[in-house]
């Protein structure tokens, strides 16, 4: 994920890896919730920047949860 975008013309955080994790409800690619994805086109730049700010920690938590889940199934009998 890139650094937070500049104020004008806030780009979408979508990286074209669009899969919703059933456990977290977050997109595995960009980390947004379904509500955030659906609302993106109608958000003003300030709203888009708020989503970007929330994504910083959320993306890291999603990756950690996936790694924990993957580790728990590795080598299972």
């Amino acid at each position: 994920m890139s650094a937070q975008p500049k104020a004008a013309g806030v780009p979408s955080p979508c990286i074209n890896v669009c899969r919703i994790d059933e456990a977290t409800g977050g997109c595995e690619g960009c980390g947004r919730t379904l509500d955030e994805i659906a609302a993106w086109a109608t958000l003003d730049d300030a709203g888009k920047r708020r989503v970007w700010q929330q994504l910083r920690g959320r993306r890291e938590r999603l990756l950690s949860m996936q790694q924990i889940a993957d580790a728990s199934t590795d080598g299972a009998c």
Side-chain angles (χ1 to χ4, degrees):
M1 183 180 343
S2 63
Q4 184 174 352
K6 296 178 184 172
V10 180
S12 170
C14 180
I15 60 169
N16 295 317
V17 178
C18 306
R19 290 186 303 264
I20 301 300
D21 183 286
E22 291 182 27
T24 66
C27 175
E28 293 179 12
C30 68
R32 292 180 292 172
T33 65
L34 284 174
D35 288 341
E36 290 167 338
I37 293 167
W40 188 262
T42 61
L43 292 174
D44 60 11
D45 282 355
K48 291 176 180 180
R49 286 191 300 274
R50 278 191 297 275
V51 171
W52 271 101
Q53 289 172 343
Q54 293 172 351
L55 289 176
R56 286 181 178 169
R58 185 185 305 161
R59 180 80 175 119
E60 290 174 12
R61 285 190 303 275
L62 286 172
L63 288 172
S64 293
M65 290 175 71
Q66 286 174 328
Q67 290 171 349
I68 290 168
D70 291 346
S72 69
T73 59
D74 288 346
C77 296

Coordinates of all heavy atoms in Angstrom, one line a residue:
M1 N 0.8 -1.2 0.0 CA 0.0 0.0 0.0 C 0.9 1.2 0.0 O 1.9 1.3 0.7 CB -0.9 0.0 1.2 CG -1.9 1.1 1.2 SD -3.0 1.2 2.7 CE -3.0 -0.3 3.4
S2 N 0.5 2.3 -0.8 CA 1.3 3.5 -0.8 C 1.0 4.4 0.3 O 0.0 4.2 1.1 CB 1.0 4.2 -2.1 OG -0.3 4.6 -2.2
A3 N 1.8 5.4 0.5 CA 1.6 6.4 1.5 C 0.2 7.2 1.3 O -0.3 7.1 0.2 CB 2.7 7.4 1.5
Q4 N -0.2 7.8 2.3 CA -1.5 8.5 2.2 C -1.4 9.5 1.0 O -0.4 10.3 0.9 CB -1.8 9.3 3.5 CG -3.2 10.0 3.4 CD -3.6 10.5 4.8 OE1 -2.9 10.3 5.8 NE2 -4.6 11.3 4.8
P5 N -2.4 9.6 0.2 CA -2.4 10.4 -1.0 C -2.5 11.9 -0.6 O -3.0 12.3 0.5 CB -3.6 10.0 -1.8 CG -4.5 9.3 -0.9 CD -3.6 8.8 0.2
K6 N -2.2 12.8 -1.6 CA -2.3 14.2 -1.4 C -3.8 14.6 -1.4 O -4.7 13.8 -1.8 CB -1.6 14.9 -2.6 CG -0.2 14.7 -2.6 CD 0.5 15.4 -3.8 CE 2.0 15.0 -3.8 NZ 2.6 15.5 -5.0
A7 N -4.1 15.8 -0.9 CA -5.5 16.2 -0.7 C -6.3 16.3 -2.0 O -7.5 15.9 -2.0 CB -5.5 17.6 0.0
A8 N -5.8 16.8 -3.0 CA -6.5 16.9 -4.3 C -6.6 15.6 -5.0 O -5.6 14.9 -5.2 CB -5.9 18.0 -5.1
G9 N -7.8 15.2 -5.5 CA -8.0 14.1 -6.3 C -7.6 12.8 -5.6 O -6.7 12.1 -6.1
V10 N -8.1 12.5 -4.4 CA -7.7 11.4 -3.6 C -8.0 10.1 -4.4 O -9.2 9.8 -4.7 CB -8.5 11.4 -2.3 CG1 -8.1 10.2 -1.5 CG2 -8.2 12.7 -1.5
P11 N -7.0 9.3 -4.7 CA -7.2 8.0 -5.4 C -7.8 6.9 -4.6 O -7.7 7.0 -3.3 CB -5.8 7.7 -5.9 CG -4.9 8.2 -4.9 CD -5.6 9.5 -4.4
S12 N -8.3 6.0 -5.2 CA -8.9 4.8 -4.5 C -7.7 3.9 -4.0 O -6.7 3.8 -4.7 CB -9.7 4.0 -5.5 OG -10.1 2.7 -4.9
P13 N -7.9 3.3 -2.9 CA -6.9 2.4 -2.4 C -6.9 1.0 -3.0 O -6.1 0.1 -2.7 CB -7.2 2.3 -0.9 CG -8.6 2.6 -0.7 CD -8.9 3.6 -1.9
C14 N -7.9 0.8 -3.9 CA -8.1 -0.5 -4.6 C -6.8 -0.9 -5.3 O -6.2 -0.1 -6.1 CB -9.2 -0.4 -5.6 SG -9.5 -2.0 -6.4
I15 N -6.4 -2.1 -5.1 CA -5.2 -2.7 -5.9 C -5.6 -3.8 -6.8 O -4.8 -4.6 -7.1 CB -4.1 -3.1 -4.9 CG1 -4.6 -4.2 -3.9 CG2 -3.5 -1.9 -4.1 CD1 -3.4 -4.8 -3.1
N16 N -6.9 -3.9 -7.0 CA -7.5 -5.0 -7.9 C -7.2 -6.4 -7.4 O -7.1 -7.3 -8.2 CB -6.9 -4.8 -9.3 CG -7.4 -3.5 -10.0 OD1 -8.5 -3.1 -9.8 ND2 -6.5 -2.8 -10.6
V17 N -7.3 -6.5 -6.1 CA -7.3 -7.8 -5.4 C -8.5 -7.8 -4.6 O -8.5 -7.6 -3.4 CB -6.0 -8.1 -4.6 CG1 -6.1 -9.4 -3.9 CG2 -4.8 -8.0 -5.4
C18 N -9.7 -8.0 -5.2 CA -11.0 -7.8 -4.6 C -11.6 -9.1 -4.1 O -12.3 -9.8 -4.8 CB -11.9 -7.1 -5.6 SG -11.2 -5.6 -6.3
R19 N -11.3 -9.4 -2.8 CA -11.8 -10.6 -2.1 C -12.1 -10.2 -0.7 O -11.3 -9.6 0.0 CB -10.8 -11.7 -2.1 CG -10.5 -12.4 -3.4 CD -9.6 -13.6 -3.3 NE -8.3 -13.3 -2.7 CZ -7.2 -13.0 -3.3 NH1 -7.2 -13.0 -4.6 NH2 -6.1 -12.7 -2.7
I20 N -13.4 -10.4 -0.3 CA -13.8 -10.1 1.0 C -13.5 -11.3 1.9 O -14.0 -12.4 1.7 CB -15.3 -9.7 1.1 CG1 -15.6 -8.5 0.2 CG2 -15.7 -9.4 2.5 CD1 -14.8 -7.2 0.5
D21 N -12.8 -11.0 3.0 CA -12.5 -12.0 4.0 C -13.7 -12.2 4.9 O -14.2 -11.2 5.5 CB -11.3 -11.6 4.9 CG -10.9 -12.6 5.9 OD1 -11.6 -12.8 6.9 OD2 -9.9 -13.3 5.7
E22 N -14.3 -13.4 4.9 CA -15.5 -13.6 5.6 C -15.4 -13.4 7.1 O -16.3 -13.0 7.8 CB -16.0 -15.1 5.4 CG -16.5 -15.3 4.0 CD -17.1 -16.7 3.7 OE1 -17.5 -17.3 4.7 OE2 -17.0 -17.1 2.6
A23 N -14.2 -13.7 7.7 CA -14.0 -13.5 9.1 C -13.9 -12.1 9.5 O -14.4 -11.7 10.6 CB -12.7 -14.2 9.5
T24 N -13.3 -11.2 8.7 CA -13.1 -9.8 9.1 C -14.1 -8.9 8.4 O -14.3 -7.8 8.9 CB -11.7 -9.4 8.7 OG1 -11.5 -9.4 7.3 CG2 -10.6 -10.2 9.4
G25 N -14.6 -9.3 7.2 CA -15.5 -8.4 6.5 C -14.7 -7.3 5.7 O -15.3 -6.4 5.1
G26 N -13.4 -7.5 5.7 CA -12.5 -6.5 5.0 C -12.0 -7.1 3.7 O -11.9 -8.3 3.5
C27 N -11.8 -6.2 2.7 CA -11.2 -6.6 1.4 C -9.8 -7.1 1.7 O -9.0 -6.3 2.3 CB -11.3 -5.5 0.4 SG -10.5 -5.9 -1.1
E28 N -9.4 -8.2 1.1 CA -8.0 -8.7 1.3 C -7.0 -7.9 0.5 O -5.8 -7.8 0.9 CB -7.9 -10.2 0.9 CG -8.7 -11.1 1.8 CD -8.6 -12.6 1.3 OE1 -7.8 -12.9 0.4 OE2 -9.4 -13.4 1.8
G29 N -7.5 -7.1 -0.5 CA -6.6 -6.3 -1.3 C -6.3 -4.9 -0.7 O -5.2 -4.6 -0.4
C30 N -7.4 -4.2 -0.4 CA -7.2 -2.8 0.0 C -7.6 -2.6 1.5 O -7.2 -1.6 2.0 CB -8.1 -1.9 -0.8 SG -9.9 -2.1 -0.6
G31 N -8.2 -3.6 2.1 CA -8.5 -3.4 3.5 C -9.8 -2.7 3.9 O -10.2 -2.6 5.0
R32 N -10.5 -2.2 2.8 CA -11.8 -1.5 3.1 C -12.9 -2.5 3.4 O -12.9 -3.6 3.0 CB -12.2 -0.6 1.9 CG -11.3 0.6 1.7 CD -11.7 1.4 0.5 NE -11.5 0.6 -0.8 CZ -12.0 1.0 -1.9 NH1 -12.7 2.1 -2.1 NH2 -11.8 0.2 -3.0
T33 N -13.9 -2.0 4.1 CA -15.1 -2.7 4.4 C -16.0 -2.6 3.1 O -15.8 -1.7 2.3 CB -15.9 -2.2 5.6 OG1 -16.3 -0.9 5.3 CG2 -15.0 -2.2 6.8
L34 N -17.0 -3.5 3.0 CA -18.0 -3.4 1.9 C -18.7 -2.0 1.9 O -18.9 -1.4 0.9 CB -19.0 -4.5 2.0 CG -18.5 -5.8 1.6 CD1 -19.6 -6.9 1.8 CD2 -18.2 -5.8 0.1
D35 N -19.0 -1.5 3.1 CA -19.6 -0.2 3.2 C -18.7 0.9 2.6 O -19.2 1.8 1.9 CB -20.0 0.2 4.6 CG -21.2 -0.6 5.1 OD1 -22.0 -1.2 4.3 OD2 -21.4 -0.7 6.3
E36 N -17.4 0.9 3.0 CA -16.5 1.9 2.5 C -16.3 1.8 1.0 O -16.2 2.8 0.3 CB -15.1 1.7 3.2 CG -15.2 2.1 4.6 CD -13.9 1.7 5.4 OE1 -13.2 0.8 5.0 OE2 -13.7 2.3 6.5
I37 N -16.3 0.5 0.5 CA -16.1 0.3 -1.0 C -17.4 0.9 -1.7 O -17.2 1.6 -2.7 CB -15.9 -1.2 -1.3 CG1 -14.6 -1.6 -0.8 CG2 -16.1 -1.4 -2.8 CD1 -14.4 -3.2 -0.8
A38 N -18.5 0.6 -1.2 CA -19.8 1.1 -1.8 C -19.9 2.6 -1.8 O -20.4 3.2 -2.7 CB -21.0 0.4 -1.1
A39 N -19.4 3.2 -0.7 CA -19.6 4.6 -0.5 C -18.5 5.4 -1.2 O -18.6 6.7 -1.4 CB -19.6 5.0 1.0
W40 N -17.4 4.8 -1.6 CA -16.2 5.5 -2.1 C -16.6 6.6 -3.2 O -16.1 7.7 -3.1 CB -15.2 4.5 -2.7 CG -13.9 5.2 -3.0 CD1 -13.5 5.7 -4.3 CD2 -12.9 5.6 -2.1 NE1 -12.3 6.3 -4.2 CE2 -11.9 6.3 -2.9 CE3 -12.7 5.5 -0.7 CZ2 -10.7 6.8 -2.3 CZ3 -11.6 6.0 -0.2 CH2 -10.6 6.7 -0.9
A41 N -17.4 6.2 -4.2 CA -17.7 7.1 -5.3 C -18.4 8.4 -4.8 O -18.4 9.4 -5.5 CB -18.5 6.4 -6.4
T42 N -19.1 8.3 -3.7 CA -19.9 9.5 -3.2 C -19.2 10.3 -2.1 O -19.7 11.3 -1.8 CB -21.3 9.0 -2.7 OG1 -21.1 8.1 -1.6 CG2 -22.1 8.3 -3.9
L43 N -18.1 9.8 -1.6 CA -17.3 10.5 -0.6 C -16.6 11.7 -1.2 O -16.1 11.7 -2.3 CB -16.3 9.6 0.1 CG -16.8 8.4 0.9 CD1 -15.6 7.5 1.3 CD2 -17.6 8.9 2.1
D44 N -16.6 12.8 -0.4 CA -15.8 13.9 -0.8 C -14.3 13.6 -0.4 O -14.0 12.5 0.2 CB -16.2 15.2 -0.1 CG -16.2 15.2 1.4 OD1 -15.6 14.2 2.0 OD2 -16.8 16.1 2.0
D45 N -13.4 14.5 -0.8 CA -12.0 14.2 -0.6 C -11.6 14.0 0.9 O -10.8 13.1 1.3 CB -11.1 15.3 -1.1 CG -10.9 15.2 -2.6 OD1 -11.4 14.2 -3.2 OD2 -10.3 16.1 -3.2
A46 N -12.3 14.8 1.8 CA -12.1 14.6 3.2 C -12.5 13.2 3.7 O -11.8 12.6 4.5 CB -12.8 15.7 4.0
G47 N -13.6 12.8 3.2 CA -14.1 11.4 3.6 C -13.2 10.3 3.1 O -12.9 9.4 3.8
K48 N -12.6 10.5 1.9 CA -11.7 9.6 1.3 C -10.4 9.5 2.1 O -9.8 8.5 2.4 CB -11.4 9.9 -0.2 CG -12.6 9.6 -1.0 CD -12.4 10.0 -2.5 CE -13.6 9.7 -3.3 NZ -13.4 10.1 -4.7
R49 N -9.9 10.7 2.5 CA -8.7 10.8 3.4 C -9.0 10.1 4.7 O -8.1 9.4 5.2 CB -8.3 12.2 3.5 CG -7.6 12.8 2.3 CD -6.9 14.1 2.6 NE -7.8 15.1 3.0 CZ -8.5 15.9 2.2 NH1 -8.5 15.8 0.9 NH2 -9.3 16.8 2.8
R50 N -10.2 10.2 5.3 CA -10.5 9.5 6.5 C -10.4 8.0 6.3 O -9.8 7.3 7.2 CB -11.9 9.9 7.0 CG -11.9 11.2 7.8 CD -13.2 11.4 8.5 NE -14.4 11.5 7.6 CZ -14.8 12.6 7.0 NH1 -14.1 13.8 7.2 NH2 -15.8 12.6 6.2
V51 N -10.9 7.5 5.2 CA -10.8 6.1 5.0 C -9.3 5.7 4.9 O -8.9 4.7 5.4 CB -11.6 5.7 3.7 CG1 -11.3 4.2 3.3 CG2 -13.1 5.9 3.8
W52 N -8.5 6.4 4.1 CA -7.1 6.1 4.0 C -6.4 6.1 5.4 O -5.6 5.2 5.7 CB -6.4 7.2 3.2 CG -6.3 6.9 1.7 CD1 -7.1 7.4 0.7 CD2 -5.4 6.0 1.0 NE1 -6.8 6.9 -0.5 CE2 -5.8 6.0 -0.3 CE3 -4.4 5.2 1.5 CZ2 -5.1 5.2 -1.3 CZ3 -3.7 4.4 0.5 CH2 -4.1 4.4 -0.8
Q53 N -6.8 7.0 6.3 CA -6.2 7.0 7.6 C -6.6 5.8 8.4 O -5.7 5.2 9.1 CB -6.6 8.3 8.4 CG -6.0 9.5 7.8 CD -6.6 10.8 8.5 OE1 -7.6 10.8 9.1 NE2 -5.9 11.9 8.3
Q54 N -7.8 5.3 8.3 CA -8.2 4.1 9.0 C -7.6 2.9 8.4 O -7.4 1.9 9.1 CB -9.8 4.0 8.9 CG -10.5 5.1 9.6 CD -12.0 5.0 9.4 OE1 -12.5 4.3 8.5 NE2 -12.7 5.8 10.1
L55 N -7.2 2.9 7.1 CA -6.6 1.7 6.5 C -5.2 1.4 7.0 O -4.8 0.2 7.0 CB -6.6 1.9 5.0 CG -7.9 1.9 4.3 CD1 -7.7 2.1 2.8 CD2 -8.6 0.5 4.5
R56 N -4.5 2.4 7.5 CA -3.1 2.2 7.9 C -3.1 1.0 8.9 O -2.4 0.0 8.7 CB -2.6 3.4 8.6 CG -2.2 4.5 7.6 CD -1.7 5.7 8.3 NE -1.3 6.7 7.4 CZ -0.9 7.9 7.7 NH1 -0.9 8.3 9.0 NH2 -0.6 8.8 6.8
G57 N -3.8 1.1 10.0 CA -3.7 0.1 11.0 C -4.6 -1.1 10.7 O -4.2 -2.3 11.0
R58 N -5.7 -0.9 10.0 CA -6.6 -2.0 9.6 C -5.9 -3.0 8.7 O -6.0 -4.2 8.9 CB -7.8 -1.5 9.0 CG -8.8 -2.5 8.7 CD -10.0 -2.0 7.9 NE -10.6 -0.9 8.6 CZ -11.4 0.0 7.9 NH1 -11.7 -0.1 6.6 NH2 -12.0 1.0 8.6
R59 N -5.2 -2.5 7.7 CA -4.5 -3.4 6.8 C -3.5 -4.3 7.5 O -3.4 -5.5 7.3 CB -3.8 -2.6 5.7 CG -3.1 -3.4 4.7 CD -4.0 -4.0 3.6 NE -3.3 -4.6 2.6 CZ -3.4 -5.9 2.3 NH1 -4.3 -6.6 3.0 NH2 -2.7 -6.5 1.4
E60 N -2.7 -3.7 8.4 CA -1.7 -4.5 9.2 C -2.4 -5.6 10.1 O -2.0 -6.7 10.2 CB -0.9 -3.6 10.1 CG 0.0 -2.7 9.3 CD 0.7 -1.7 10.1 OE1 0.7 -1.8 11.4 OE2 1.4 -0.8 9.5
R61 N -3.6 -5.2 10.7 CA -4.3 -6.2 11.5 C -4.9 -7.3 10.6 O -4.8 -8.5 11.0 CB -5.5 -5.5 12.2 CG -5.0 -4.6 13.4 CD -6.1 -4.2 14.3 NE -7.1 -3.4 13.6 CZ -7.1 -2.1 13.3 NH1 -6.0 -1.4 13.7 NH2 -8.0 -1.5 12.6
L62 N -5.4 -7.0 9.4 CA -5.9 -8.0 8.5 C -4.8 -9.0 8.1 O -5.0 -10.2 8.1 CB -6.5 -7.4 7.3 CG -7.9 -6.7 7.5 CD1 -8.3 -6.0 6.2 CD2 -8.9 -7.7 7.9
L63 N -3.6 -8.5 7.8 CA -2.5 -9.3 7.4 C -2.1 -10.2 8.6 O -1.8 -11.4 8.4 CB -1.3 -8.5 6.9 CG -1.5 -7.8 5.6 CD1 -0.3 -6.9 5.3 CD2 -1.6 -8.9 4.5
S64 N -2.1 -9.7 9.8 CA -1.7 -10.5 11.0 C -2.7 -11.6 11.2 O -2.3 -12.7 11.5 CB -1.6 -9.6 12.2 OG -0.6 -8.7 12.1
M65 N -4.0 -11.3 11.1 CA -5.0 -12.3 11.3 C -4.9 -13.4 10.2 O -5.1 -14.6 10.5 CB -6.4 -11.6 11.2 CG -6.7 -10.7 12.4 SD -8.3 -9.9 12.3 CE -9.4 -11.2 12.5
Q66 N -4.6 -13.0 9.0 CA -4.4 -14.0 7.9 C -3.2 -14.9 8.2 O -3.3 -16.1 8.0 CB -4.3 -13.3 6.5 CG -5.5 -12.7 6.0 CD -5.3 -12.0 4.7 OE1 -4.3 -11.4 4.5 NE2 -6.3 -12.0 3.9
Q67 N -2.1 -14.3 8.7 CA -0.9 -15.1 9.0 C -1.2 -16.0 10.1 O -0.7 -17.2 10.1 CB 0.2 -14.1 9.3 CG 0.7 -13.4 8.1 CD 1.7 -12.3 8.4 OE1 1.9 -12.0 9.6 NE2 2.4 -11.7 7.4
I68 N -1.9 -15.6 11.1 CA -2.2 -16.5 12.2 C -3.1 -17.6 11.8 O -2.9 -18.8 12.1 CB -2.9 -15.7 13.4 CG1 -1.9 -14.7 14.0 CG2 -3.6 -16.6 14.4 CD1 -2.5 -13.7 14.9
A69 N -4.1 -17.3 10.9 CA -5.0 -18.4 10.4 C -4.2 -19.4 9.6 O -4.4 -20.6 9.7 CB -6.1 -17.7 9.6
D70 N -3.3 -18.8 8.7 CA -2.5 -19.7 7.9 C -1.6 -20.6 8.7 O -1.5 -21.8 8.4 CB -1.7 -18.9 6.9 CG -2.5 -18.2 5.8 OD1 -3.7 -18.6 5.7 OD2 -2.0 -17.3 5.1
A71 N -1.0 -20.0 9.8 CA -0.1 -20.8 10.6 C -0.9 -21.9 11.4 O -0.3 -23.0 11.6 CB 0.6 -19.9 11.6
S72 N -2.1 -21.6 11.7 CA -2.9 -22.6 12.5 C -3.3 -23.8 11.6 O -3.6 -24.9 12.1 CB -4.1 -22.0 13.1 OG -5.0 -21.6 12.1
T73 N -3.3 -23.6 10.3 CA -3.7 -24.8 9.4 C -2.5 -25.5 8.8 O -2.6 -26.5 8.2 CB -4.6 -24.3 8.3 OG1 -3.9 -23.3 7.5 CG2 -5.9 -23.7 8.8
D74 N -1.3 -24.9 8.9 CA -0.1 -25.5 8.4 C 0.3 -26.7 9.3 O 0.4 -26.6 10.5 CB 1.1 -24.5 8.4 CG 1.0 -23.5 7.4 OD1 0.2 -23.6 6.5 OD2 1.8 -22.5 7.4
G75 N 0.5 -27.8 8.6 CA 0.9 -29.0 9.3 C -0.2 -29.6 10.2 O 0.2 -30.4 11.1
A76 N -1.4 -29.2 10.1 CA -2.5 -29.8 10.9 C -2.7 -31.2 10.6 O -2.6 -31.6 9.4 CB -3.8 -29.0 10.7
C77 N -3.0 -32.0 11.6 CA -3.2 -33.5 11.4 C -4.6 -33.7 11.1 O -5.5 -33.1 11.5 CB -2.8 -34.3 12.7 SG -1.0 -34.1 13.0

